Every structure is written in C-alpha cells, then in structure tokens.
Amino acid sequence: MRRHRAVVDTARVHALRFGYDEIATPIFEFTEVFARPIGETTDIVMKEMYSFADKGGEEVTLRPENTAGVVRAVIANGLTQSLPLRFFYQGPMFRYERPQKGRFRQFHQIGVELIGVKEPQGDVEVIALGADILAALGVLERTALHLNTLGDAESRGLYRDALVKYFTQHAHKLSEDSRKRLERNPLRILDSKDAADIALSAAAPHFENYLTPASREFFGRVRDGLDALGIKYTLNPRLVRGLDYYTHTAFEFVTTELGSQGAVLAGGRYDGLMGVMGGPETPGVGWAAGIERLALMIAEPASPPRPIALVPIGDDGEKRALALAQELRRAGFTIDLAYSGNLQKRMRRADKIMARAAVILGEDELKRGQAAVRDLDAGTQEDVPLTALKDRLASFRG
Ligand code: ATP
Ligand code: MG
C-alpha cells in the first residue's frame, strides 16, 4: 500500500501542475456505458468484463477502464459547456483475465483525460505529463515510449481494407482468435500476442502508407512537439487500438522489466468517443497506467516514522498512559501503547515494532513527576520530567 500510495501521490502532484483536477466516477456503470463505445468486438468486452444483472434486473458492469466513465459523467453533468476539461483519476478497474505477475482481476489505474482540445499540442501535453510522472517515480529511464498514428476516420477505412485484403490471403495461418478479428476488427490482429500472428503482422501493410495528408500533418506536429520537449520515442506501426473511436496518436510507455506485462502507461486520442456515447462531438486524448506495475518498478518508499513505545507499570502508570499517549500524538509523535503484559513483555514488543524509544511510566518516577526515557538504539536511559518529555522525545525525530 505504501508503494501504491507513492505512485498515486506522485501522479496527483504532477497532474495538478498541468491543471488536471481529480475526478471520481462510479466503480460500476450500466453495461451499455462500456459496451456501446468499447463495442461488442473487442477483447475487453468479449472476454474481460465483469457484467451482471442487479436486483432490479439492470445490466451493470464493473468498470474495465475509466475513459468511458469519465466521458459519461461529462455528458450527464453537461460539462461540455466548459471545455477544455482536464481530469486526473485513480482507482480500481476489473477485468476477467488470467491472474499472473502484474496482471490481476482487480487492478488499479491512474489516468488523465484532456477533453475538448483538438490540436496536436493536446497529445503532446498528456504525453509530457505521463513522462513527468514516470520520471518523478524514477522509472522513465527504464521505459521506452512507443508512438504511432491511427489517422482520421478516412485513413482508417483505407487501412482497414488493405489489412483485410492482406490477412485474408493468409487466413489459414492466423490464430483462431485473429481469424475472428479479421471480420470484426482486423486492426487488433496487429496487437496479437500469438507467434504466428506476429510473424504475419511483420509483413502486413503499414498504416503510414494509407494516411491522408491531414493525418500525416497532425502526426508531424505531435512529433515536433515531443522533439521540442526532448521526449524520446520509437515509431511502432504495430501499436494499434481496436476501437473505432480512437484516432490519430496512440502511445505506450513499455518496459522490459516485467516480462510480457510490459505496458505500464498507454493512451491515445479518442475524438470519436463522445459522439458514440451520445454527447456532442468533442475531441479527447488521455492515458491510463497500471499502478501495480509501476509499484513493482519504483524504489521502496520512505518508511513511516518509528514509534515511541509507552510502557506503563502498575495502576498509576496505566492511568496516566492513555491521556499521555493522546497528548503526545497530538504533538505529532507516533505512539504505540500496549494494554497488557509485564515490563519485560512490553519492552520486547517495543523492540519488535522498532520503536525509537520507550517511555517507562513507573510508580516511583511518576511520584517525582518524571518518566524514564530509554533510547532503544543507544541502549541508554535517563529520567525526564514529564513537563520536558516532548522536548526530549523531539530529539528522536527524523
Ligand atoms: P495488456 O496488453 O498488458 O493486457 P492493455 O492493453 O489491456 O494491457 P490498457 O487497457 O491500455 O491495457 O490499460 C492501461 C494499463 O493498465 C496497462 O498499460 C497496464 O499497466 C495496466 N493494466 C491493464 N490490465 C491490467 C491487469 N489485468 N492487471 C494489472 N494492470 C493492468
Ligand atoms: Mg489487456
């Protein structure tokens, strides 16, 4: 959880600097919120969604991703009146897939959405934000940014036809999944993890050759922007998105450190999504990153402060301990107070929890208005007036 929080807190700080405020949308939505835009054709909907009927017979789905939920919220709340919108989110997502290292059925994502900016600078902005977050987490150097363009709708149509033609010629060599994709969603074949599909995809037509001049120009400006910011990238024509509402830029920060679970942050432009979901045609671009995968890659976050153990002895000590513990906590100390056990047992516990010091409240000391303070690292002990206790303990901070 400390690692998890380090990822989220770091991301939130950087997102705020770019003007992305946090949004939280429901963890489940009506199934159509995901089914309609994601389409019945993609792997996510076909195999990975947790969908069920609720007690009222409504079809609901645990969110597999958050872009559709954010867009639904924007439409439902009439926020398209105040574009552009910049949102950061974090939270659980659910996909029915085979659990393994870095792949879970409940996992967590951070993500950003920039809604209402049609210019290529928007793409550059969200990529720059992603890169800043990865850099702040100390993982940017261990990833590579893959970049591709899916062009506009016209380019996509032309490319789709070319792909169908090519893969149809080689249909007998395709995996069973990809043979299905050939009819429904040929672009997804390029994203297949099957060895035979990968081999065939290598010689498939390149999207580049089917881009309209306007799409080519858009991509050029995205690349110019990244160059201007010194953000390095590799062009990867195999980087695709199966969904029709995706347009232009697709990108992914990939690492080789997590085996086949290499994608840590993935995103792209989705100019068609708002329209597909019943809102006014509005451009959008964003990304999502897997918190668990990032958490595996970051350095161990700083430990919480070491506690001070309060060790009361006898009735007088017990009576004083509760209130003293509260007083010290309010002064900012982390206090551990056990409620049972003799002196020896409590001192063993203080060791076990790596307490920095123990404050022993014995009868004799209390009569003198003092407590015995034991420095557990140095092994030294001294009597300290209760009135000077906070000052003495302050020296154990940091
Ligand atoms: P993959 O190709 O690894 O299945 P994906 O294309 O399904 O990833 P996206 O839908 O783009 O992933 O989600 C964005 C990010 O969320 C991924 O790059 C990854 O870091 C993370 N992610 C996706 N699915 C899982 C999962 N089941 N468990 C943990 N993290 C995940
Ligand atoms: Mg997946």
Side-chain angles (χ1 to χ4, degrees):
M1 202 56 216
R2 279 212 289 277
R3 289 173 171 273
H4 187 118
R5 206 171 47 228
V7 171
V8 173
D9 291 351
T10 304
R12 188 187 288 112
V13 166
H14 287 265
L16 273 174
R17 286 185 195 163
F18 280 71
Y20 289 65
D21 223 344
E22 192 158 355
I23 188 173
T25 63
I27 282 167
F28 66 94
E29 300 265 1
F30 290 125
T31 294
E32 63 165 35
V33 168
F34 303 110
R36 203 182 328 155
I38 296 175
E40 261 112 61
T41 58
T42 71
D43 294 354
I44 293 185
V45 167
M46 284 169 59
K47 296 200 217 113
E48 297 182 1
M49 279 196 343
Y50 275 95
S51 301
F52 50 92
D54 70 8
K55 285 181 180 162
E58 302 270 23
E59 283 297 326
V60 295
T61 294
L62 301 182
R63 62 187 188 191
E65 54 92 31
N66 207 24
T67 304
V70 170
V71 168
R72 197 270 312 140
V74 165
I75 297 171
N77 293 287
L79 300 181
T80 46
Q81 299 300 313
S82 37
L83 301 176
L85 298 164
R86 289 180 168 82
F87 290 124
F88 165 77
Y89 64 81
Q90 52 89 20
M93 309 292 158
F94 304 83
R95 294 183 195 176
Y96 191 79
E97 38 187 352
R98 194 166 69 77
Q100 52 200 287
K101 186 181 177 192
R103 191 178 291 285
F104 308 97
R105 289 179 172 180
Q106 173 173 342
F107 64 103
H108 299 77
Q109 286 183 338
I110 49 171
V112 302
E113 312 293 355
L114 170 57
I115 296 171
V117 173
K118 65 179 190 310
E119 289 79 9
Q121 290 95 315
D123 309 49
V124 177
E125 176 178 301
V126 297
I127 294 173
L129 171 52
D132 270 9
I133 292 170
L134 295 179
L137 291 170
V139 306
L140 184 64
E141 297 299 315
R142 289 176 283 147
T143 66
L145 170 59
H146 292 203
L147 190 70
N148 193 23
T149 178
L150 309 174
D152 51 18
E154 189 188 343
S155 317
R156 281 178 83 90
L158 294 171
Y159 185 51
R160 194 189 155 100
D161 293 346
L163 275 187
V164 171
K165 196 168 155 210
Y166 170 79
F167 282 121
T168 304
Q169 284 164 6
H170 303 279
H172 57 287
K173 286 184 245 165
L174 283 173
S175 69
E176 203 185 310
D177 277 349
S178 284
R179 268 201 298 279
K180 284 188 210 143
R181 290 182 184 122
L182 185 52
E183 292 148 35
R184 299 191 187 119
N185 203 338
L187 258 79
R188 280 296 291 209
I189 300 176
L190 300 176
D191 196 25
S192 166
K193 282 157 186 137
D194 177 272
D197 294 348
I198 291 174
L200 272 183
S201 296
H206 278 198
F207 209 151
E208 242 215 293
N209 304 326
Y210 299 85
L211 289 177
T212 59
S215 296
R216 206 179 295 275
E217 145 108 26
F218 188 97
F219 194 43
R221 289 178 59 198
V222 173
R223 294 173 60 178
D224 289 347
L226 294 177
D227 291 342
L229 295 180
I231 298 174
K232 291 185 227 85
Y233 57 84
T234 318
L235 293 180
N236 179 356
R238 289 196 52 230
L239 181 62
V240 291
R241 299 274 180 268
L243 312 180
D244 278 344
Y245 62 79
Y246 278 112
T247 54
H248 296 294
T249 322
F251 57 90
E252 219 164 82
F253 286 87
V254 183
T255 171
T256 51
E257 282 179 15
L258 302 174
S260 59
Q261 273 57 256
V264 291
L265 186 155
R269 180 166 276 279
Y270 49 85
D271 290 350
L273 179 58
M274 188 79 78
V276 168
M277 292 190 67
E281 287 296 334
T282 309
V285 57
W287 53 254
I291 296 178
E292 285 82 2
R293 292 188 195 173
L294 289 170
L296 284 170
M297 294 179 73
I298 63 172
E300 177 77 26
S303 309
R306 290 169 65 188
I308 307 284
L310 272 199
V311 181
I313 306 170
D315 286 347
D316 283 356
E318 297 285 1
K319 271 184 214 139
R320 293 297 296 276
L322 271 183
L324 183 60
Q326 278 300 79
E327 193 186 328
L328 292 173
R329 286 173 186 138
R330 286 178 184 147
F333 295 99
T334 301
I335 300 298
D336 182 87
L337 174 58
Y339 300 111
S340 64
N342 58 20
L343 175 65
Q344 207 189 12
K345 197 174 157 202
R346 292 192 195 216
M347 291 307 285
R348 267 206 309 274
R349 173 172 165 81
D351 276 338
K352 199 173 148 201
I353 62 170
M354 305 259 291
R356 177 65 186 85
V359 176
I360 302 161
L361 302 172
E363 222 156 313
D364 292 343
E365 289 95 336
L366 283 176
K367 269 189 199 129
R368 294 195 302 269
Q370 293 183 326
V373 174
R374 187 167 180 81
D375 181 332
L376 294 171
D377 284 358
T380 54
Q381 185 168 320
E382 62 186 314
D383 285 349
V384 175
L386 288 173
T387 50
L389 195 56
K390 283 180 204 155
D391 287 342
R392 178 67 191 93
L393 295 180
S395 69
F396 295 123
R397 273 193 178 135

